[in-house]
């Protein structure tokens, strides 16, 4: 037996007991004839005390950091207790020890504040994983996994595996492909998600499916993405949107309770996509704080149900506002006393290429009731007051206004809103606010191709009341400039996203389950009959054999873990992640393969760079 206890287990109550521990040497401290060693394993750290009897042996064969050591001895009460360690009241008086394996000097210290940089830690990820900080993240990941599985199991869901070697099908991103040796010149694709398989399982009658599953997307790895990531992927048959929302609200609340001991009892609010865009500037609003947008000018018809507050800025002959598509404002609490330097700095902030605005207009709502703005020339105090009231500004607030093209301006104000909240400490890590976003547009317009693309994916159904609009209209866009007037522009999807603290943590939809409508959908996306059959013949075929109404959702498991762990980076929650260039620096992958392998695959390389 290698050990009787773990290094995190022993307490004062074990005093006098004999124990054998096995673990890694964290530190060695020598005091004359006595040597202290901190022995570490997954469960904790225990202090070992080597007395004079071992001095010679230790001098001849010194213990180094990360040596694997087995030690037997008696549990003793420490005279110098360490209140920071659960095992800090005791130590082991070692009678016998055995070096199970030596270790080279690790390239960085195995501690929370390590001296290892990112690249080094990734190269030696197996050492990095020994660090407590990383271990805690993996433990949290496992806790989330367990909680999700337990919940789904009690709700009657079945975990069913689906294949990784599949057929290349479009789902928004680029596929990773795998050449087939046995079928020369042909390729498998790795699944971007198990989407079509889970739908087929519904056709097969497995009406509650889930899987904690890897998905592969060959995307540019901007902002904290991984080429392979994990989803909690779910599908249900005989359900409406309401059933899915309730079921998965339940799952996330269960995870909160199990993992964070948070009783998230209130109902998760629901917001339409239009409301989210209108009030927050994006479809994953952080609702931990208010600062909603004031729409002073809206573009032609994107937000069909919305009315702007144009009267407040019209007629002032202020060209900047008159000539742009969209004017948006937020009221930032308590910042009216910003100095010139501070407003200049904010102006520079919105002009950065990532934000891309030409300038920033501000109105200070002073505590004495007066107003001071960068557009005093154009707007009377009375007008400024009216804008302030519409923006729900309080005395002491600073109103920030951006003007420009719709998409860019809305994006910019939503970034500015988050930035100001960050500066004001309103994005608290230990506060969790969920919101459902509903009624997304079914289609997006792709300017380049002058065609419709599916906003979620091609299996998402339109709102039942709009199925007729879809079936009854020709998808072709005759006049690109007026695409917004096409009936398809206003079709809303039976799709939903769950948003947590400004992050989309899950998304899904009620699916199309009739062949005719699915064909219409594919046609709308520019796929002719032949292509439809080539790519999705199996699904269209399955829909002929009694496909039940169904719908589902997939949660971004890595992201959910990162948020619950209070981190910005999903990499911290993945045992073996890739870097920003999609490389595994430990394996040095991807890498070339040898001539023989290429020959077997009948592949000739013709590299352009
Ligand atoms: N498969 C979809 C995705 O990965 C989610 C879903 O619709 O269930 O985004």
């Amino acid at each position: 037996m290698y050990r009787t206890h773990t290094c995190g287990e022993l307490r004062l109550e074990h005093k006098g007991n004999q124990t054998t521990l096995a673990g890694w040497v964290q530190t060695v401290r020598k005091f004359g004839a006595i040597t202290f060693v901190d022995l570490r394993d997954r469960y904790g750290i225990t202090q070992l005390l080597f007395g004079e009897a071992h001095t010679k042996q230790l001098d001849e064969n010194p213990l180094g950091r990360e040596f694997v050591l087995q030690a037997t001895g008696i549990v003793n009460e420490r005279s110098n207790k360490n209140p920071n360690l659960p095992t800090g009241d005791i130590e082991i008086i070692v009678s016998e020890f055995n070096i199970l394996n030596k270790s080279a000097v690790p390239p960085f210290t195995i501690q929370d504040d390590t001296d290892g940089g990112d690249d080094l830690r990734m190269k030696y990820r197996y050492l990095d994983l020994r660090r407590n900080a990383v271990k805690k993240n993996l433990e949290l990941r496992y806790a989330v996994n367990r909680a999700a599985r337990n919940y789904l199991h009690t709700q009657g869901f079945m975990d069913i595996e689906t294949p990784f070697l599949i057929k290349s099908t479009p789902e928004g991103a680029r596929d990773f492909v795998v050449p087939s040796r046995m079928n020369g010149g042909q390729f498998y694709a790795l699944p971007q998600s198990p989407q079509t398989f889970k739908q087929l399982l519904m056709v097969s009658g497995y009406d509650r499916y889930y899987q904690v599953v890897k998905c592969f997307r060959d995307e540019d790895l901007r902002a904290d993405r991984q080429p392979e990531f994990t989803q909690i992927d779910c599908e249900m048959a005989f359900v409406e949107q309401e059933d899915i929302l309730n079921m998965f609200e339940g799952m996330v609340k269960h995870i909160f309770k199990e993992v964070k001991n948070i009783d998230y009892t209130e109902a998760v609010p629901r917001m339409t996509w239009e409301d989210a865009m209108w009030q927050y500037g994006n479809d994953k609003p952080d609702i931990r704080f208010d600062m909603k947008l004031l729409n002073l000018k809206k573009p032609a018809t994107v937000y069909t149900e919305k009315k702007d507050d144009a009267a407040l800025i019209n007629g002032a002959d202020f060209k900047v506002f008159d000539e742009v598509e969209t004017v948006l404002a937020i009221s930032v609490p308590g910042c009216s006393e910003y100095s010139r330097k501070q407003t200049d700095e904010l102006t520079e902030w919105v002009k950065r290429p990532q934000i891309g605005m030409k300038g920033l207009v501000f109105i200070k709502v002073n505590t004495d009731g007066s107003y001071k703005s960068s557009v005093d020339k154009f707007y009377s105090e009375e007008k400024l007051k009216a804008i302030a009231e519409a923006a729900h500004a309080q005395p002491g607030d600073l109103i920030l206004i951006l003007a420009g093209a719709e998409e860019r301006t809305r994006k910019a104000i939503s970034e500015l809103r988050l930035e100001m909240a960050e500066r004001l400490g309103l994005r608290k890590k230990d506060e969790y606010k969920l919101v459902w976003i509903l009624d997304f547009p079914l289609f997006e317009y792709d300017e380049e191709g002058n065609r419709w693309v599916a906003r979620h994916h091609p299996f998402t159904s339109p709102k039942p009341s709009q199925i007729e609009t879809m079936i009854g209209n020709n998808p072709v866009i005759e006049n690109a400039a007026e695409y917004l007037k096409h009936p398809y522009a206003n079709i809303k999807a039976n799709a939903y996203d769950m948003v947590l603290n400004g992050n989309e943590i899950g998304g899904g939809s009620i699916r199309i389950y009739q062949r005719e409508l699915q064909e219409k959908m594919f046609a709308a996306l520019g796929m002719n009959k032949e292509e439809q059959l080539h790519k999705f013949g199996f699904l269209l075929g399955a829909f002929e054999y009694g496909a039940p109404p169904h719908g589902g959702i997939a949660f971004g498991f890595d992201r959910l873990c990162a948020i619950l762990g209070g981190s910005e980076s999903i990499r911290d929650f993945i045992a073996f992640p890739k870097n920003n260039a999609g490389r595994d620096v430990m394996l040095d992958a991807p890498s070339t393969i040898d001539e023989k392998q290429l020959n077997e695959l009948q592949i000739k390389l013709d590299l352009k760079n």
Side-chain angles (χ1 to χ4, degrees):
M1 188 162 58
Y2 275 111
R3 57 183 176 186
T4 56
H5 296 89
T6 70
C7 297
E9 203 177 339
L10 295 166
R11 301 285 185 275
L12 216 43
E13 75 209 48
H14 297 98
K15 188 173 157 183
N17 290 3
Q18 169 153 317
T19 182
T20 301
L21 302 182
W24 288 263
V25 172
Q26 173 89 19
T27 53
V28 181
R29 298 182 306 278
K30 243 186 125 178
F31 294 100
I34 292 178
T35 304
F36 290 105
V37 168
D38 280 347
L39 197 68
R40 182 196 70 235
D41 66 8
R42 190 185 127 193
Y43 309 92
I45 286 183
T46 299
Q47 176 164 293
L48 309 179
L49 190 157
F50 294 80
E52 218 161 330
H54 294 121
T55 308
K56 187 159 174 284
Q57 199 181 346
L58 286 178
D59 281 348
E60 278 165 15
N61 289 306
L63 296 172
R65 278 195 284 146
E66 302 308 312
F67 274 38
V68 188
L69 190 71
Q70 181 188 40
T72 300
I74 301 293
V75 181
N76 182 40
E77 182 168 359
R78 263 159 85 160
S79 53
N80 201 356
K81 297 197 171 61
N82 180 351
N84 299 322
L85 274 187
T87 59
D89 287 349
I90 57 102
E91 63 194 353
I92 313 299
I93 311 285
V94 176
S95 52
E96 241 177 274
F97 71 96
N98 187 7
I99 295 174
L100 298 175
N101 211 345
K102 291 187 172 182
S103 168
V105 176
F108 51 84
T109 53
I110 313 290
Q111 294 168 340
D112 280 2
D113 309 320
T114 177
D115 53 359
D118 229 33
D119 284 350
L120 198 62
R121 289 194 295 106
M122 287 306 143
K123 183 160 181 213
Y124 296 92
R125 183 63 165 172
Y126 47 88
L127 295 178
D128 196 34
L129 288 169
R130 287 186 191 163
R131 290 169 56 234
N132 204 29
V134 188
K135 190 190 74 194
K136 271 202 190 128
N137 292 347
L138 291 192
E139 282 171 351
L140 180 131
R141 185 183 175 102
Y142 179 50
V144 176
N145 189 332
R146 223 167 43 227
R149 285 180 185 280
N150 287 344
Y151 176 84
L152 292 168
H153 177 70
T154 57
Q155 298 295 329
F157 283 77
M158 252 172 98
D159 178 348
I160 305 176
E161 288 154 276
T162 52
F164 278 172
L165 295 176
I166 66 164
K167 189 185 173 93
S168 185
T169 55
E171 212 174 300
R174 212 174 280 120
D175 284 328
F176 279 104
V177 294
V178 180
S180 165
R181 181 185 56 80
M182 288 194 286
N183 305 274
Q186 298 191 351
F187 295 81
Y188 300 102
L190 301 179
Q192 295 185 25
S193 84
Q195 185 61 36
T196 49
F197 290 102
K198 64 175 175 174
Q199 291 192 242
L200 292 176
L201 286 169
M202 295 305 113
V203 179
S204 307
Y206 297 89
D207 62 344
R208 292 186 172 198
Y209 143 95
Y210 87 98
Q211 204 180 170
V212 180
V213 65
K214 274 285 168 72
C215 301
F216 306 86
R217 296 183 191 175
D218 187 4
E219 294 176 299
D220 293 331
L221 300 179
R222 38 187 177 89
D224 201 27
R225 296 256 177 107
Q226 288 278 310
E228 53 175 307
F229 59 95
T230 307
Q231 285 189 343
I232 306 173
D233 188 46
C234 311
E235 196 78 6
M236 301 172 80
F238 305 114
V239 284
E240 291 171 343
Q241 176 167 297
E242 189 63 28
D243 303 307
I244 302 252
L245 300 188
N246 290 331
M247 176 64 73
F248 291 98
E249 197 168 312
M251 183 183 85
V252 173
K253 287 177 177 175
H254 181 75
I255 292 173
F256 273 127
K257 179 70 192 160
E258 292 295 303
V259 178
K260 306 288 290 184
N261 200 20
I262 292 173
D263 286 307
Y264 202 110
T265 46
E266 70 265 39
V268 174
R270 298 171 183 194
M271 199 183 287
T272 63
W273 174 84
E274 280 203 11
D275 277 343
M277 295 302 286
W278 193 253
Q279 296 179 343
Y280 297 94
N282 67 52
D283 55 12
K284 41 181 173 44
D286 188 341
I287 60 164
R288 281 174 294 182
F289 56 94
D290 214 15
M291 250 197 265
K292 292 199 189 85
L293 312 192
L294 171 65
N295 287 261
L296 290 160
K297 193 171 180 182
K298 77 162 185 162
T301 55
V302 189
Y303 311 103
T304 48
E305 296 159 13
K306 304 296 174 196
K307 277 213 168 10
D308 63 24
D309 274 303
L312 295 171
I313 51 167
N314 281 349
D317 218 9
F318 180 43
K319 281 217 166 55
V320 174
F321 286 176
D322 290 347
E323 287 171 3
V324 294
E325 205 179 3
T326 299
V327 181
L328 296 167
I330 51 170
S331 178
V332 186
C335 292
S336 68
E337 279 170 19
Y338 260 33
S339 64
R340 176 67 193 263
K341 195 168 154 220
Q342 282 171 300
T343 51
D344 281 355
E345 187 267 327
L346 272 185
T347 307
E348 286 314 307
W349 192 91
V350 302
K351 284 181 169 176
R352 296 177 324 149
Q354 304 95 299
I355 305 296
M357 299 309 295
K358 292 215 176 77
L360 177 70
V361 169
F362 64 84
I363 304 171
K364 290 177 173 173
V365 186
N366 297 323
T367 37
D368 64 4
S370 68
Y371 297 86
K372 173 92 198 99
S373 91
S374 53
V375 284
D376 283 349
K377 261 201 280 182
F378 301 94
Y379 294 102
S380 63
E381 179 129 348
E382 214 171 294
K383 273 268 180 191
L384 296 178
K385 185 169 177 227
I387 294 175
E389 271 168 15
H392 301 291
Q394 303 296 318
D397 286 3
L398 174 68
I399 298 173
L400 301 174
I401 308 176
L402 294 178
E406 162 63 18
E407 213 180 297
R408 171 172 294 191
T409 309
R410 204 162 285 274
K411 199 158 174 282
I413 198 99
S414 91
E415 295 288 339
L416 183 62
R417 176 179 174 269
L418 293 180
E419 172 69 18
M420 296 313 291
E422 191 71 52
R423 292 184 187 194
L424 294 172
L426 301 173
R427 306 191 74 192
K428 296 191 198 92
K429 280 222 168 90
D430 55 358
E431 188 185 2
Y432 298 97
K433 281 267 164 73
L434 292 160
V435 53
W436 283 111
I437 309 299
L438 310 174
D439 303 352
F440 285 82
L442 185 65
F443 295 107
E444 259 169 11
Y445 176 64
D446 165 28
E447 250 172 77
E448 242 170 69
N450 184 35
R451 62 186 194 101
W452 301 111
V453 289
R455 191 185 163 97
H456 189 49
H457 52 52
F459 318 107
T460 296
S461 76
K463 288 267 157 221
S465 62
Q466 288 176 301
I467 291 180
E468 285 311 312
T469 312
M470 205 173 133
I471 302 255
N473 281 286
N474 183 347
V476 173
I477 309 153
E478 305 281 358
N479 182 353
E482 299 208 330
Y483 77 92
L484 279 168
K485 293 198 178 140
H486 192 289
Y488 277 26
N490 287 326
I491 299 182
K492 294 287 196 287
N494 236 339
Y496 30 79
D497 275 359
M498 187 183 256
V499 171
L500 172 58
N501 292 359
N503 300 276
E504 180 204 322
I505 57 163
S509 59
I510 297 298
R511 323 298 184 188
I512 297 170
Y513 65 100
Q514 310 92 330
R515 179 167 184 149
E516 188 200 4
L517 187 58
Q518 188 64 70
E519 283 176 341
K520 186 78 189 180
M521 178 54 137
F522 288 146
L525 304 176
M527 248 186 260
N528 64 30
K529 280 251 172 314
E530 220 180 16
E531 255 180 288
Q532 296 182 19
L533 287 178
H534 174 66
K535 288 188 170 139
F536 295 110
F538 63 96
L539 188 70
L540 293 171
F543 284 178
E544 304 237 29
Y545 292 94
H550 61 285
I553 191 165
F555 286 85
F557 180 51
D558 311 287
R559 171 81 48 216
L560 180 58
C561 294
I563 300 169
L564 294 179
S567 164
E568 299 284 301
S569 163
I570 64 171
R571 276 214 280 165
D572 296 345
F573 293 80
I574 298 174
F576 297 103
K578 309 233 176 338
N579 74 6
N580 290 342
R583 296 200 68 83
D584 184 319
V585 290
M586 181 182 71
L587 302 177
D588 195 21
S591 60
T592 52
I593 55 174
D594 62 33
E595 214 39 52
K596 182 166 167 276
Q597 283 173 296
L598 284 173
N599 282 340
E600 277 176 351
L601 296 167
Q602 303 180 65
I603 287 179
K604 256 201 168 51
L605 298 180
D606 178 21
L607 298 178
K608 299 286 184 262
N609 43 41

